[in-house]
Amino acid sequence: MVEQFVGTWALRSSENFDEYMKAIGVGFATRQMGNMAKPNLVISVDDAGMVSMKSETTFKTTEIKFKLNEEFDETTADGRKTKTLITCANGKLVQQQTWEDKKTTLEREIQEGKLTAKCVMDDVVAVRIYEKGA
């Protein structure tokens, strides 16, 4: 389940992220910072099954804590207030965010020892690849 995702992951490559941020409504200045940031993604799970997903950059650190299959309120790094549901199926950690009649999906999976994050909004897809160990 989630255990394969536990650890510290460093961003190594990012494709089409600016277009994805535009598609979800992120303004120009925030996109510039988002494009420059090379976040570490730190994922952990406690004994009660609460998952922590922390994104650490020199600009900002954000953290969400959640239980799988339980919807929660999330304030995203770009300030959106979303209803978020995270599930784990077929080896993928799938995060669905909904706000203002919009919906985006972030799919994370481990491929060849790397964490691949696919960010999808309508027909715009960004792919970000992380390697373990920061």
Coordinates of all heavy atoms in Angstrom, one line a residue, residues 47-125:
D47 N 1.6 5.1 13.2 CA 1.0 3.8 13.7 C -0.5 3.7 13.5 O -1.1 2.6 13.4 CB 1.4 3.5 15.1 CG 2.9 3.2 15.3 OD1 3.5 2.9 14.3 OD2 3.4 3.4 16.4
A48 N -1.2 4.8 13.5 CA -2.6 4.9 13.4 C -3.1 4.9 11.9 O -4.3 5.0 11.6 CB -3.2 6.1 14.1
G49 N -2.1 4.9 11.0 CA -2.5 4.9 9.6 C -2.6 6.3 9.0 O -3.1 6.5 7.8
M50 N -2.3 7.3 9.8 CA -2.3 8.7 9.3 C -1.1 8.9 8.4 O 0.1 8.7 8.8 CB -2.3 9.7 10.4 CG -2.5 11.1 10.1 SD -4.1 11.6 9.4 CE -5.1 11.6 10.8
V51 N -1.3 9.4 7.2 CA -0.2 9.6 6.2 C 0.1 11.1 6.2 O -0.8 12.0 6.2 CB -0.7 9.2 4.8 CG1 0.5 9.4 3.8 CG2 -1.1 7.7 4.8
S52 N 1.4 11.4 6.2 CA 1.9 12.8 6.1 C 2.6 12.9 4.7 O 3.4 12.1 4.4 CB 2.8 13.1 7.2 OG 3.5 14.3 6.9
M53 N 2.2 13.9 4.0 CA 2.9 14.2 2.7 C 3.4 15.7 2.8 O 2.5 16.6 2.8 CB 2.0 14.0 1.5 CG 2.7 13.8 0.2 SD 1.6 13.5 -1.2 CE 0.5 12.2 -0.7
K54 N 4.7 15.9 2.9 CA 5.2 17.2 3.0 C 6.1 17.5 1.8 O 6.9 16.8 1.4 CB 6.1 17.2 4.3 CG 6.6 18.6 4.7 CD 7.6 18.5 5.9 CE 6.9 17.9 7.1 NZ 7.8 18.0 8.3
S55 N 5.8 18.8 1.3 CA 6.6 19.3 0.2 C 7.5 20.4 0.7 O 6.9 21.4 1.2 CB 5.7 19.8 -0.9 OG 6.5 20.3 -2.0
E56 N 8.8 20.2 0.6 CA 9.7 21.2 1.2 C 10.5 21.9 0.1 O 11.2 21.2 -0.7 CB 10.7 20.5 2.1 CG 10.1 19.8 3.3 CD 11.1 18.9 4.1 OE1 12.1 18.5 3.6 OE2 10.8 18.7 5.3
T57 N 10.5 23.2 0.1 CA 11.3 24.0 -0.8 C 11.9 25.1 -0.1 O 11.6 25.4 1.1 CB 10.5 24.6 -2.0 OG1 9.7 25.7 -1.5 CG2 9.7 23.6 -2.7
T58 N 12.8 25.9 -0.7 CA 13.4 27.0 0.0 C 12.4 28.2 0.1 O 12.5 29.0 1.0 CB 14.6 27.6 -0.9 OG1 14.2 27.8 -2.2 CG2 15.8 26.6 -0.8
F59 N 11.3 28.1 -0.7 CA 10.3 29.2 -0.6 C 9.2 28.9 0.4 O 8.8 29.7 1.1 CB 9.5 29.3 -2.0 CG 10.4 29.7 -3.1 CD1 10.6 28.8 -4.2 CD2 11.1 30.9 -3.2 CE1 11.4 29.1 -5.3 CE2 11.9 31.2 -4.3 CZ 12.1 30.3 -5.3
K60 N 8.8 27.6 0.5 CA 7.7 27.3 1.3 C 7.6 25.8 1.5 O 8.0 25.0 0.7 CB 6.4 27.6 0.4 CG 5.1 27.5 1.1 CD 4.0 27.9 0.1 CE 3.0 28.7 0.8 NZ 1.9 29.2 -0.1
T61 N 7.1 25.4 2.7 CA 6.9 24.0 3.0 C 5.4 23.8 3.3 O 4.8 24.6 4.0 CB 7.7 23.6 4.3 OG1 9.1 23.7 4.0 CG2 7.4 22.2 4.7
T62 N 4.8 22.9 2.7 CA 3.4 22.6 2.9 C 3.3 21.1 3.3 O 4.2 20.3 2.9 CB 2.6 22.8 1.6 OG1 3.1 21.9 0.6 CG2 2.6 24.2 1.2
E63 N 2.3 20.8 4.1 CA 2.1 19.5 4.6 C 0.6 19.2 4.6 O -0.2 20.0 5.0 CB 2.7 19.3 6.0 CG 2.6 17.9 6.5 CD 3.2 17.7 7.9 OE1 3.4 18.7 8.6 OE2 3.5 16.5 8.2
I64 N 0.3 18.0 4.2 CA -1.1 17.5 4.4 C -1.0 16.2 5.2 O 0.0 15.4 5.0 CB -1.9 17.3 3.1 CG1 -1.1 16.3 2.1 CG2 -2.1 18.6 2.4 CD1 -1.9 16.0 0.9
K65 N -2.0 16.0 6.0 CA -2.1 14.8 6.8 C -3.5 14.2 6.5 O -4.4 14.9 6.5 CB -1.9 15.0 8.3 CG -0.5 15.4 8.6 CD -0.3 15.5 10.1 CE 1.2 15.8 10.4 NZ 1.5 15.7 11.8
F66 N -3.5 12.9 6.2 CA -4.8 12.3 5.8 C -4.8 10.8 6.1 O -3.7 10.2 6.3 CB -5.0 12.6 4.3 CG -3.9 12.0 3.4 CD1 -4.0 10.7 2.9 CD2 -2.7 12.7 3.2 CE1 -3.0 10.2 2.1 CE2 -1.7 12.2 2.4 CZ -1.8 11.0 1.9
K67 N -6.0 10.3 6.0 CA -6.2 8.8 6.0 C -6.7 8.5 4.6 O -7.5 9.2 4.1 CB -7.2 8.4 7.1 CG -6.6 8.5 8.5 CD -7.3 7.6 9.4 CE -6.5 7.5 10.7 NZ -7.1 6.6 11.7
L68 N -6.2 7.4 4.1 CA -6.7 6.9 2.8 C -8.2 6.8 2.8 O -8.8 6.4 3.8 CB -6.1 5.6 2.4 CG -4.6 5.6 2.1 CD1 -4.0 4.2 1.9 CD2 -4.3 6.5 0.9
N69 N -8.8 7.1 1.7 CA -10.3 7.0 1.4 C -11.1 7.9 2.3 O -12.3 7.6 2.4 CB -10.7 5.5 1.6 CG -9.8 4.6 0.8 OD1 -9.7 4.8 -0.4 ND2 -9.3 3.5 1.4
E70 N -10.6 8.9 3.0 CA -11.4 9.8 3.8 C -11.1 11.2 3.2 O -10.0 11.8 3.2 CB -10.9 9.8 5.2 CG -11.3 8.5 5.9 CD -10.9 8.5 7.4 OE1 -10.6 9.6 8.0 OE2 -11.0 7.4 8.0
E71 N -12.2 11.9 2.7 CA -12.1 13.2 2.2 C -11.7 14.2 3.3 O -12.1 14.1 4.4 CB -13.5 13.6 1.6 CG -13.4 15.0 0.8 CD -14.7 15.3 0.2 OE1 -15.6 15.7 0.9 OE2 -14.8 15.2 -1.1
F72 N -10.9 15.2 2.9 CA -10.5 16.2 3.9 C -10.4 17.6 3.1 O -10.3 17.6 1.9 CB -9.2 15.9 4.6 CG -8.0 15.7 3.6 CD1 -7.1 16.8 3.5 CD2 -7.8 14.5 2.9 CE1 -6.0 16.6 2.6 CE2 -6.7 14.4 2.1 CZ -5.8 15.4 1.9
D73 N -10.3 18.7 3.9 CA -10.2 20.0 3.4 C -8.7 20.3 3.3 O -7.9 20.0 4.2 CB -10.8 21.0 4.3 CG -12.3 20.9 4.4 OD1 -12.9 20.7 3.3 OD2 -12.9 21.1 5.4
E74 N -8.2 20.7 2.1 CA -6.8 21.0 1.9 C -6.7 22.4 1.4 O -7.5 22.9 0.6 CB -6.3 20.1 0.8 CG -4.8 20.3 0.4 CD -4.3 19.4 -0.7 OE1 -5.1 18.6 -1.2 OE2 -3.1 19.6 -1.0
T75 N -5.7 23.2 1.9 CA -5.3 24.4 1.3 C -4.0 24.2 0.6 O -3.0 23.8 1.2 CB -5.1 25.5 2.4 OG1 -6.3 25.7 3.1 CG2 -4.7 26.8 1.7
T76 N -4.0 24.3 -0.7 CA -2.8 23.9 -1.5 C -1.7 25.0 -1.5 O -2.0 26.1 -1.0 CB -3.3 23.7 -3.0 OG1 -3.7 25.0 -3.5 CG2 -4.4 22.7 -3.1
A77 N -0.6 24.6 -2.0 CA 0.6 25.5 -1.9 C 0.3 26.8 -2.7 O 0.8 27.9 -2.3 CB 1.8 24.9 -2.5
D78 N -0.6 26.8 -3.7 CA -1.0 28.0 -4.4 C -2.2 28.7 -3.9 O -2.7 29.6 -4.5 CB -1.1 27.7 -5.9 CG -2.2 26.6 -6.1 OD1 -2.0 25.5 -5.7 OD2 -3.2 26.9 -6.8
G79 N -2.7 28.2 -2.7 CA -3.8 28.9 -2.0 C -5.2 28.4 -2.3 O -6.2 28.9 -1.8
R80 N -5.4 27.4 -3.2 CA -6.7 26.9 -3.5 C -7.2 26.1 -2.2 O -6.5 25.4 -1.6 CB -6.7 25.9 -4.7 CG -6.5 26.6 -6.0 CD -6.3 25.6 -7.1 NE -5.1 24.9 -6.9 CZ -5.0 23.5 -6.9 NH1 -6.0 22.8 -7.1 NH2 -3.8 22.9 -6.7
K81 N -8.5 26.2 -2.0 CA -9.1 25.5 -0.9 C -9.9 24.4 -1.6 O -10.9 24.6 -2.3 CB -10.0 26.4 -0.1 CG -9.2 27.5 0.6 CD -9.9 28.1 1.8 CE -9.1 29.2 2.5 NZ -7.7 29.0 2.7
T82 N -9.4 23.1 -1.4 CA -10.0 22.0 -2.1 C -10.6 21.0 -1.1 O -10.2 20.9 0.0 CB -9.0 21.3 -2.9 OG1 -8.0 20.7 -2.1 CG2 -8.3 22.3 -3.9
K83 N -11.5 20.2 -1.7 CA -11.9 18.9 -1.0 C -11.0 17.9 -1.7 O -11.0 17.8 -2.9 CB -13.4 18.6 -1.3 CG -14.4 19.6 -0.7 CD -14.5 19.3 0.8 CE -15.5 20.2 1.4 NZ -15.5 20.1 2.9
T84 N -10.3 17.2 -0.9 CA -9.3 16.2 -1.4 C -9.6 14.8 -0.9 O -9.9 14.6 0.3 CB -7.9 16.7 -1.0 OG1 -7.7 18.0 -1.5 CG2 -6.8 15.7 -1.5
L85 N -9.4 13.9 -1.8 CA -9.6 12.5 -1.4 C -8.4 11.7 -2.0 O -8.0 11.9 -3.2 CB -10.9 11.9 -2.1 CG -11.1 10.4 -1.8 CD1 -11.4 10.1 -0.4 CD2 -12.3 9.9 -2.7
I86 N -7.7 10.9 -1.2 CA -6.5 10.2 -1.6 C -6.8 8.7 -1.4 O -7.2 8.3 -0.3 CB -5.3 10.6 -0.9 CG1 -5.0 12.1 -1.1 CG2 -4.1 9.8 -1.3 CD1 -3.9 12.7 -0.4
T87 N -6.6 8.0 -2.5 CA -6.8 6.5 -2.4 C -5.5 5.8 -2.9 O -4.7 6.4 -3.5 CB -8.0 6.1 -3.4 OG1 -7.7 6.6 -4.7 CG2 -9.3 6.7 -2.9
C88 N -5.5 4.5 -2.6 CA -4.3 3.7 -3.1 C -4.9 2.5 -3.8 O -5.6 1.7 -3.2 CB -3.5 3.4 -1.9 SG -1.9 2.7 -2.4
A89 N -4.6 2.4 -5.1 CA -5.1 1.2 -5.8 C -4.1 0.9 -7.0 O -3.5 1.9 -7.5 CB -6.4 1.5 -6.4
N90 N -3.9 -0.3 -7.2 CA -3.0 -0.8 -8.3 C -1.6 -0.2 -8.2 O -1.0 0.2 -9.2 CB -3.6 -0.4 -9.7 CG -5.0 -1.1 -9.9 OD1 -5.2 -2.2 -9.5 ND2 -5.9 -0.3 -10.5
G91 N -1.1 0.0 -7.0 CA 0.2 0.5 -6.8 C 0.3 2.0 -6.9 O 1.4 2.6 -6.9
K92 N -0.8 2.7 -7.1 CA -0.8 4.2 -7.3 C -1.4 4.9 -6.1 O -2.5 4.4 -5.6 CB -1.6 4.6 -8.6 CG -0.9 4.1 -9.9 CD -1.7 4.6 -11.1 CE -1.1 4.1 -12.4 NZ -1.9 4.5 -13.5
L93 N -0.9 6.0 -5.7 CA -1.5 6.9 -4.8 C -2.2 8.0 -5.6 O -1.5 8.7 -6.3 CB -0.4 7.5 -3.9 CG -0.7 8.0 -2.5 CD1 -1.3 6.9 -1.6 CD2 0.6 8.4 -1.8
V94 N -3.5 8.0 -5.5 CA -4.3 8.9 -6.4 C -4.9 10.0 -5.5 O -5.7 9.7 -4.6 CB -5.3 8.1 -7.2 CG1 -6.1 9.1 -8.1 CG2 -4.7 7.0 -8.0
Q95 N -4.6 11.2 -5.8 CA -5.1 12.4 -5.1 C -6.0 13.2 -6.0 O -5.6 13.6 -7.1 CB -3.9 13.3 -4.6 CG -4.3 14.5 -3.9 CD -3.0 15.3 -3.4 OE1 -1.9 14.9 -3.7 NE2 -3.2 16.4 -2.8
Q96 N -7.3 13.3 -5.6 CA -8.3 14.1 -6.3 C -8.6 15.3 -5.5 O -9.0 15.2 -4.4 CB -9.5 13.2 -6.6 CG -9.2 12.1 -7.5 CD -10.5 11.3 -7.9 OE1 -11.4 11.2 -7.1 NE2 -10.5 10.8 -9.1
Q97 N -8.4 16.5 -6.2 CA -8.8 17.7 -5.6 C -9.9 18.3 -6.3 O -9.9 18.4 -7.6 CB -7.6 18.7 -5.6 CG -6.4 18.3 -4.9 CD -5.2 19.2 -5.2 OE1 -5.1 19.8 -6.2 NE2 -4.3 19.3 -4.2
T98 N -11.0 18.8 -5.6 CA -12.1 19.5 -6.3 C -12.3 20.8 -5.6 O -12.2 21.0 -4.4 CB -13.4 18.6 -6.2 OG1 -13.7 18.3 -4.8 CG2 -13.3 17.3 -7.0
W99 N -12.6 21.8 -6.4 CA -12.9 23.2 -6.0 C -13.6 23.9 -7.1 O -13.4 23.7 -8.2 CB -11.6 23.9 -5.6 CG -10.7 24.3 -6.7 CD1 -10.6 25.6 -7.2 CD2 -9.9 23.5 -7.6 NE1 -9.8 25.7 -8.3 CE2 -9.3 24.4 -8.6 CE3 -9.6 22.2 -7.7 CZ2 -8.5 24.0 -9.6 CZ3 -8.8 21.7 -8.7 CH2 -8.3 22.6 -9.6
E100 N -14.5 24.8 -6.7 CA -15.2 25.7 -7.7 C -15.6 24.9 -9.0 O -15.3 25.4 -10.1 CB -14.3 26.8 -8.1 CG -14.0 27.7 -6.9 CD -12.9 28.8 -7.3 OE1 -12.6 28.9 -8.5 OE2 -12.5 29.5 -6.4
D101 N -16.2 23.8 -8.8 CA -16.6 22.9 -10.0 C -15.5 22.5 -10.9 O -15.7 22.2 -12.1 CB -17.7 23.7 -10.8 CG -19.0 23.9 -10.1 OD1 -19.3 23.0 -9.2 OD2 -19.6 24.9 -10.3
K102 N -14.3 22.5 -10.3 CA -13.1 22.0 -11.1 C -12.6 20.8 -10.3 O -12.8 20.6 -9.2 CB -12.0 23.1 -11.1 CG -12.4 24.3 -11.9 CD -11.3 25.4 -11.8 CE -11.8 26.7 -12.4 NZ -10.9 27.8 -12.1
K103 N -11.8 20.0 -11.1 CA -11.2 18.8 -10.5 C -9.9 18.5 -11.2 O -9.7 18.6 -12.4 CB -12.2 17.6 -10.8 CG -11.7 16.3 -10.2 CD -12.8 15.2 -10.5 CE -12.3 13.9 -10.0 NZ -13.3 12.9 -10.3
T104 N -8.9 18.2 -10.3 CA -7.6 17.8 -10.8 C -7.2 16.5 -10.1 O -7.6 16.2 -9.0 CB -6.5 18.9 -10.6 OG1 -5.3 18.4 -11.2 CG2 -6.2 19.1 -9.1
T105 N -6.4 15.7 -10.8 CA -5.9 14.4 -10.2 C -4.4 14.4 -10.3 O -3.8 14.7 -11.3 CB -6.5 13.2 -11.1 OG1 -7.9 13.3 -11.1 CG2 -6.1 11.9 -10.5
L106 N -3.8 13.9 -9.2 CA -2.4 13.7 -9.1 C -2.2 12.2 -8.8 O -2.6 11.7 -7.7 CB -1.8 14.6 -8.0 CG -1.9 16.1 -8.2 CD1 -3.2 16.6 -7.5 CD2 -0.7 16.8 -7.7
E107 N -1.6 11.6 -9.7 CA -1.3 10.1 -9.5 C 0.2 9.9 -9.3 O 1.0 10.3 -10.1 CB -1.6 9.3 -10.8 CG -3.1 9.1 -11.1 CD -3.3 8.3 -12.3 OE1 -2.3 7.8 -12.9 OE2 -4.4 8.1 -12.7
R108 N 0.5 9.3 -8.2 CA 1.9 9.0 -7.8 C 2.1 7.5 -7.9 O 1.3 6.7 -7.3 CB 2.2 9.5 -6.4 CG 2.1 11.1 -6.4 CD 2.4 11.6 -5.0 NE 2.3 13.0 -4.9 CZ 1.2 13.7 -4.7 NH1 0.0 13.1 -4.5 NH2 1.2 15.0 -4.6
E109 N 3.2 7.1 -8.5 CA 3.5 5.6 -8.5 C 5.0 5.5 -8.5 O 5.8 6.4 -8.9 CB 2.9 4.9 -9.6 CG 3.3 5.3 -11.0 CD 2.5 4.5 -12.1 OE1 2.4 3.2 -11.9 OE2 2.1 5.1 -13.1
I110 N 5.5 4.3 -8.1 CA 6.9 4.0 -8.1 C 7.2 3.2 -9.4 O 6.6 2.2 -9.7 CB 7.3 3.1 -6.9 CG1 6.9 3.8 -5.6 CG2 8.8 2.9 -6.9 CD1 7.4 5.1 -5.3
Q111 N 8.1 3.8 -10.2 CA 8.5 3.1 -11.4 C 10.1 3.1 -11.5 O 10.7 4.1 -11.4 CB 8.0 3.8 -12.7 CG 6.5 3.9 -12.8 CD 6.1 4.7 -14.0 OE1 6.6 5.7 -14.3 NE2 5.0 4.2 -14.7
E112 N 10.6 1.9 -11.6 CA 12.1 1.7 -11.6 C 12.8 2.4 -10.5 O 13.8 3.1 -10.7 CB 12.6 2.1 -13.0 CG 12.0 1.3 -14.1 CD 12.4 1.9 -15.5 OE1 13.3 2.8 -15.6 OE2 11.9 1.4 -16.5
G113 N 12.2 2.3 -9.3 CA 12.8 2.9 -8.1 C 12.6 4.4 -8.0 O 13.1 5.1 -7.0
K114 N 11.9 5.0 -8.9 CA 11.6 6.5 -8.9 C 10.2 6.7 -8.6 O 9.3 5.9 -9.0 CB 12.1 7.1 -10.2 CG 13.6 7.0 -10.4 CD 14.0 7.6 -11.8 CE 15.5 7.4 -12.0 NZ 15.9 8.0 -13.2
L115 N 9.9 7.9 -8.0 CA 8.5 8.2 -7.8 C 8.1 9.1 -9.0 O 8.7 10.2 -9.2 CB 8.3 8.9 -6.5 CG 6.9 9.2 -6.0 CD1 6.8 9.3 -4.5 CD2 6.3 10.5 -6.6
T116 N 7.0 8.7 -9.7 CA 6.5 9.5 -10.8 C 5.2 10.1 -10.4 O 4.3 9.4 -9.9 CB 6.3 8.6 -12.1 OG1 7.5 8.0 -12.4 CG2 5.7 9.4 -13.2
A117 N 5.1 11.4 -10.5 CA 3.8 12.1 -10.2 C 3.3 12.7 -11.5 O 3.9 13.5 -12.2 CB 4.1 13.3 -9.2
K118 N 2.1 12.2 -11.8 CA 1.4 12.7 -13.0 C 0.2 13.6 -12.6 O -0.6 13.2 -11.8 CB 0.8 11.5 -13.8 CG 0.2 11.9 -15.1 CD 0.0 10.7 -16.1 CE -1.3 10.0 -15.7 NZ -1.7 9.0 -16.7
C119 N 0.3 14.9 -13.0 CA -0.7 15.9 -12.6 C -1.6 16.1 -13.8 O -1.1 16.5 -14.9 CB 0.0 17.2 -12.2 SG 1.4 17.0 -11.1
V120 N -2.9 15.9 -13.6 CA -3.8 16.0 -14.8 C -4.9 17.0 -14.5 O -5.6 16.9 -13.4 CB -4.5 14.6 -15.1 CG1 -5.4 14.7 -16.2 CG2 -3.4 13.6 -15.3
M121 N -5.1 18.0 -15.4 CA -6.3 18.9 -15.3 C -6.8 19.0 -16.7 O -6.1 19.5 -17.6 CB -5.8 20.3 -14.8 CG -6.9 21.3 -14.8 SD -8.0 21.0 -13.5 CE -9.3 22.3 -13.8
D122 N -8.0 18.5 -16.9 CA -8.6 18.4 -18.2 C -7.7 17.7 -19.2 O -7.3 16.6 -18.9 CB -9.0 19.8 -18.7 CG -10.1 20.5 -17.8 OD1 -10.9 19.8 -17.3 OD2 -10.0 21.7 -17.6
D123 N -7.2 18.4 -20.3 CA -6.4 17.7 -21.2 C -4.9 18.0 -21.0 O -4.0 17.7 -21.8 CB -6.8 17.9 -22.7 CG -6.8 19.4 -23.0 OD1 -6.6 20.3 -22.1 OD2 -6.9 19.8 -24.2
V124 N -4.6 18.7 -19.9 CA -3.2 19.1 -19.6 C -2.6 18.1 -18.6 O -3.2 17.8 -17.6 CB -3.1 20.5 -19.0 CG1 -1.7 20.9 -18.7 CG2 -3.7 21.5 -20.0
V125 N -1.4 17.6 -19.0 CA -0.8 16.6 -18.2 C 0.7 17.0 -17.9 O 1.4 17.3 -18.9 CB -0.7 15.2 -18.8 CG1 0.0 14.2 -17.9 CG2 -2.2 14.7 -19.1

